Amino acid sequence: MSDDEPQRRPSQIIAEMLGLPEPRRFTEEEERAYQEAMDRADAQVRAIIARRQRRAA
């Protein structure tokens, strides 16, 4: 890639390699819902790790 070419996102490169259409960007509402889901998942993982650490102690 030369310096004058715009940098492509990894999703664009992967889509091109697989012959798929480029993924569309999230709307603000979708982005918010995604972030909330990731926050819930992070909290669940932290709870699991804490339980395992307490059991191991």
Side-chain angles (χ1 to χ4, degrees):
M1 181 182 300
S2 69
D3 290 338
D4 58 340
E5 290 182 39
Q7 185 159 353
R8 297 186 313 158
R9 296 185 319 272
S11 60
Q12 292 172 307
I13 296 168
I14 292 169
E16 182 181 318
M17 288 171 35
L18 297 174
L20 300 171
E22 182 179 328
R24 67 174 178 78
R25 293 200 178 258
F26 285 157
T27 64
E28 285 184 31
E29 184 178 322
E30 290 170 330
E31 179 68 29
R32 186 174 46 257
Y34 174 79
Q35 288 302 324
E36 289 171 359
M38 291 299 102
D39 291 344
R40 284 191 305 274
D42 288 344
Q44 289 174 348
V45 169
R46 283 191 296 273
I48 291 168
I49 291 170
R51 281 194 303 270
R52 289 183 180 177
Q53 288 173 338
R54 282 192 304 270
R55 280 187 227 153

